[in-house]
């Protein structure tokens, strides 16, 4: 099995992958509805929520669209300090919303102070923020941002992208007062791509009912009517839901706290390795991701060549994303990756870099 130190799609445990070959069921059958109910119910633990979790057949970006269509008639504040946050901003613009961008240099976090100021200056129905920005390896202080947002504008719905952190870092939706938290399956949850998970608060659901033109496929009000009957408006990705049901058992048997600790230990190891090698990390101390590390690429290092070398050993890392391609590289430490895998990767990278520096 190759080891994918890339921030999605990540390696899937063979037993989890095998579950997808389970015979299909009619999606309107009792048998399937039971599996669907069980998976959605268990998934709430990942979000630390008592509210509902929608299992949506789409990648995570689908829920970016769902959020802006369901929770705003007009006004959206979009916090942007990375490529994925900017995608959410673009989704809001593409859906005809009046979107204001709150942007910081991408090396810097979105701060509670900036959010407070923006929400005091103008009223917004909803705001978007990315918890773990996969392009920069930066984790935004979402808990503190939510406190500031509630203080500045209590009725603004707080929507959070946790695509590359759900299941790898703790996000307490209810305790932090978040209204929507969305994620994809192919990152820390270590499942194949194709399914998105979205937890939504009661007050956000109530607001959605007042928003016109929510569309059809991502209409959460329609989805909720079906969800209450353990069903979906359209045919769901059955195979992925079989796999999710089982993977959630594996995740809970590792234990969420233990899983978060494993991710953060791997992050510390990779980040201190980089610093010891004199490499520069993109994100500042205190805001570094615990699921993916973004490193500035030194001038003489070619990531394609490095990957060619790593692939001979069955490993692969990721180049920078979007505008950061060629300028940074990324090592993901998420999902099924263990510390022993990280050690093997770093040893291989040391061997490669030592060789490179000696010529
Ligand atoms: C991967 C990623 C996305 C996009 O998710 P898809 O499932 O590819 O649509 C969005 N946000 C973040 C933070 C991501 O890491």
């Amino acid at each position: 099995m190759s080891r994918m130190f890339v921030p999605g799609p990540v390696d899937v445990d063979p037993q989890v992958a095998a579950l997808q070959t389970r015979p299909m069921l009619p999606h309107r059958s009792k048998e399937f509805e039971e599996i669907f109910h069980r998976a959605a119910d268990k998934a709430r633990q990942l979000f630390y929520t008592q509210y509902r979790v929608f299992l949506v057949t789409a990648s995570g970006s689908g829920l970016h669209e769902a959020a802006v269509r369901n929770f705003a008639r007009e006004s959206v504040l979009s916090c942007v300090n990375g490529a994925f946050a900017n995608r959410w901003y673009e989704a809001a613009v593409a859906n005809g919303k009046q979107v204001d961008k709150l942007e910081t240099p991408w090396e810097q976090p979105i701060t509670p102070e900036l959010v407070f100021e923006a929400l005091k200056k103008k009223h917004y129905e909803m705001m978007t923020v990315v918890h773990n920005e996969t392009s920069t390896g930066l984790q935004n202080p979402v808990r503190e941002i939510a406190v500031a947002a509630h203080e500045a504008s209590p009725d603004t719905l707080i929507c959070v992208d946790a695509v590359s952190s759900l299941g790898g870092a703790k996000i307490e939706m209810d305790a932090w007062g978040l209204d929507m938290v969305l994620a994809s399956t192919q990152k820390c949850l270590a499942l194949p791509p194709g399914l998105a998970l979205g937890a939504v608060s009661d007050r956000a659901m109530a607001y959605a009912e007042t928003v016109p033109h929510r569309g059809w496929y991502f209409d959460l009000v329609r989805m909720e009517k079906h969800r209450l009957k353990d069903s979906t408006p359209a045919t769901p990705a059955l195979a992925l839901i079989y796999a999710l049901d089982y993977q959630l058992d594996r995740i809970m048997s590792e234990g969420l706290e233990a899983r978060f600790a494993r991710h953060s230990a791997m992050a510390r190891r990779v980040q201190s390795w980089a610093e010891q090698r004199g490499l520069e990390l993109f994100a500042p101390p205190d805001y570094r991701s615990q699921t993916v590390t973004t490193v500035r690429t030194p001038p003489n290092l070619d990531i394609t060549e490095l990957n060619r070398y790593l692939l001979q050993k069955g490993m692969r890392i990721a180049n920078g994303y979007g505008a950061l391609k060629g300028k940074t590289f990324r090592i993901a430490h998420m999902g099924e990756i263990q510390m022993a895998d990280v050690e093997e990767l770093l040893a291989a990278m040391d061997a490669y870099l030592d060789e490179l520096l000696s010529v």
Side-chain angles (χ1 to χ4, degrees), residues 7-9 58-64 83-85 87-88 130-135 161-165 182-187 193-196 292 321 330 334:
S59 81
S61 305
L63 289 182
H64 281 175
F84 291 102
R87 180 184 295 185
W88 206 351
V130 171
H131 178 238
N132 191 74
E133 184 46 78
T134 318
S135 57
D161 171 329
V163 172
S164 62
S165 47
L182 63 92
S184 317
T185 42
Q186 77 277 16
K187 309 233 170 144
L195 200 63
V292 57
Y321 186 89
R330 295 172 300 159
M334 60 171 71

Side-chain angles (χ1 to χ4, degrees), residues 178-199:
L178 310 178
D179 292 288
M180 185 198 208
V181 179
L182 63 92
S184 317
T185 42
Q186 77 277 16
K187 309 233 170 144
C188 297
L189 300 178
L191 286 159
L195 200 63
L197 287 76

Side-chain angles (χ1 to χ4, degrees), residues 17-212:
L19 265 165
Q20 293 177 97
T21 63
R22 196 188 146 142
M24 291 299 125
L25 288 163
H27 61 291
R28 312 256 184 243
S29 64
K30 262 275 149 289
E31 296 104 298
F32 179 71
E33 284 167 8
E34 265 170 36
I35 297 169
F36 186 81
H37 177 89
R38 198 165 62 217
D41 192 48
K42 278 187 289 198
R44 294 190 301 157
Q45 296 173 61
L46 296 171
F47 296 88
Y48 291 81
T49 187
Q50 295 302 313
Y51 297 120
R52 66 200 57 65
V53 173
F54 292 107
L55 305 180
V56 182
T57 301
S59 81
S61 305
L63 289 182
H64 281 175
E65 186 138 302
V68 300
R69 291 201 73 114
N70 283 269
F71 304 137
R73 296 168 202 221
E74 289 181 343
S75 58
V76 179
L77 176 67
S78 199
C79 302
V80 176
N81 61 340
F84 291 102
N86 198 57
R87 180 184 295 185
W88 206 351
Y89 164 79
E90 284 173 359
V93 172
N95 279 286
K97 307 299 170 183
Q98 287 165 22
V99 201
D100 288 336
K101 199 189 250 195
L102 171 56
E103 189 159 22
T104 60
W106 289 11
E107 296 85 351
Q108 289 170 26
I110 302 292
T111 62
E113 293 75 21
L114 285 170
V115 170
F116 185 87
E117 221 175 277
L119 293 177
K120 272 290 182 204
K121 203 152 61 180
K122 181 175 161 187
H123 182 259
Y124 296 93
E125 296 161 87
M126 67 175 282
M127 60 169 283
T128 69
V129 63
V130 171
H131 178 238
N132 191 74
E133 184 46 78
T134 318
S135 57
T136 59
L138 187 151
Q139 189 173 298
N140 282 312
V142 166
R143 180 216 286 252
E144 291 77 11
I145 288 171
V147 169
H150 283 296
E151 207 180 313
S153 176
D155 65 343
T156 298
L157 300 172
I158 305 173
C159 301
V160 177
D161 171 329
V163 172
S164 62
S165 47
L166 187 82
K170 197 172 197 172
I171 302 146
E172 296 179 86
M173 168 158 167
D174 295 359
W176 300 0
L178 310 178
D179 292 288
M180 185 198 208
V181 179
L182 63 92
S184 317
T185 42
Q186 77 277 16
K187 309 233 170 144
C188 297
L189 300 178
L191 286 159
L195 200 63
L197 287 76
V200 179
S201 73
D202 283 347
R203 71 169 191 159
M205 285 308 303
Y207 193 74
E209 289 184 31
T210 73
V211 175

Side-chain angles (χ1 to χ4, degrees), residues 318-347:
N319 207 322
Y321 186 89
L324 293 174
K325 188 170 179 191
K327 296 184 181 145
T328 61
F329 64 90
R330 295 172 300 159
I331 299 174
H333 22 79
M334 60 171 71
E336 302 293 341
I337 299 283
Q338 302 291 329
M339 189 63 97
D341 301 315
V342 170
E343 294 300 349
E344 210 175 314
L345 173 74
L346 298 182

